[in-house]
């Protein structure tokens, strides 16, 4: 199976509790489509944390952009909003960024002209397909698994003496 590399999904939304749960389902569907089922729970949890932070610190009904990008090796998730205050990782832990850090391989923030972006990445290698049976039979292995083939003998008339006599030329 060949996987198209550099897959991308982008959605702009107004942050609200209802939209967060809708976006979780949409992201889960995209990850399933990209054969990244093992990443659904941590990625959705990370997105939920980032969107909850936007709602809590920037305000309800704030427009933001959620972006997923998968290169075939790394999945990057980012949330951009128009809030000016940069997020901080609290030394006491327990905050949203602490959970994002625990769910990811790397994370970060950066200022933009409109506000900021908070992102995280996860190592997400291209899935490999496994064939259930080898395409070519292995010598001696598959033959022992197959039932023996019984070929019935052809039915013929009983032999007569003339059938067994040598032909005279």
């Amino acid at each position: 199976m060949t996987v198209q590399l550099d897959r991308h999904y982008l959605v702009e939304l107004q942050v609200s509790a209802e939209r967060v749960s809708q976006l979780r389902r949409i992201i889960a569907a995209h990850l399933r489509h990209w054969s990244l089922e093992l990443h659904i729970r941590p990625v959705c949890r990370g997105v939920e944390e980032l969107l909850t932070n936007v709602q809590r610190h920037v305000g309800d009904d704030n427009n933001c952009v959620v972006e997923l990008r998968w290169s075939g090796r790394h999945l990057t998730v980012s949330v951009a909003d128009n809030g000016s205050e940069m997020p901080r990782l609290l030394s006491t832990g327990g905050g949203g960024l602490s959970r994002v850090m625990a769910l990811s391989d790397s994370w970060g923030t950066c200022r933009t002209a409109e506000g900021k972006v908070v992102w995280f990445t996860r190592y997400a290698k291209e899935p490999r397909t496994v064939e259930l049976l080898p395409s070519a039979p292995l010598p001696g292995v598959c033959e022992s698994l197959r039932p023996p083939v019984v070929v019935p003998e052809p039915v013929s008339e009983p032999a007569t003496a003339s059938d067994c006599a040598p032909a005279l030329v």
Side-chain angles (χ1 to χ4, degrees):
M1 176 174 105
T2 304
V3 176
Q4 175 191 350
L5 298 181
D6 199 25
R7 294 194 175 191
H8 182 251
Y9 175 71
L10 182 111
V11 62
E12 186 173 342
L13 67 139
Q14 286 188 319
V15 179
S16 68
E18 297 81 26
R19 294 294 289 162
V20 171
S21 65
Q22 288 173 343
L23 194 60
R24 280 181 63 106
R25 290 189 299 274
I26 291 169
I27 288 173
H30 277 279
L31 295 177
R32 274 189 208 92
H33 179 69
W34 294 347
S35 299
L36 297 174
E37 287 86 358
L38 296 175
H39 299 276
I40 290 173
R41 289 188 76 184
V43 168
C44 287
R45 183 71 175 137
V47 169
E48 181 180 12
E49 290 294 339
L50 294 180
L51 291 176
T52 301
N53 283 350
V54 170
Q55 188 178 15
R56 183 177 298 134
H57 299 290
V58 180
D60 285 341
D61 299 325
N62 179 57
N63 280 341
C64 66
V65 176
V66 177
E67 182 178 15
L68 300 176
R69 183 174 295 275
W70 181 50
S71 68
R73 298 194 78 163
H74 297 279
L75 178 65
T76 302
V77 180
S78 62
V79 175
D81 64 56
N82 59 6
S84 60
E85 185 180 337
M86 294 298 286
R88 293 177 294 135
L89 182 62
L90 302 174
S91 60
T92 58
L97 285 180
S98 296
R99 286 187 283 275
V100 170
M101 184 174 75
L103 296 167
S104 63
D105 295 318
S106 63
W107 70 277
T109 63
C110 63
R111 287 194 190 280
T112 64
E114 297 81 26
K116 67 181 170 297
V117 175
V118 182
W119 54 267
F120 67 91
T121 63
R122 289 182 54 86
Y123 179 70
K125 189 175 176 185
E126 179 179 348
R128 293 178 23 192
T129 58
V130 178
E131 292 185 27
L132 296 177
L133 294 175
S135 55
L138 299 173
V141 174
C142 291
E143 288 82 8
S144 65
L145 298 176
R146 290 188 196 131
V149 176
V150 178
V151 178
E153 293 188 27
V155 178
S156 61
E157 308 255 337
T160 62
S162 61
D163 291 333
C164 296
L168 298 175
V169 183

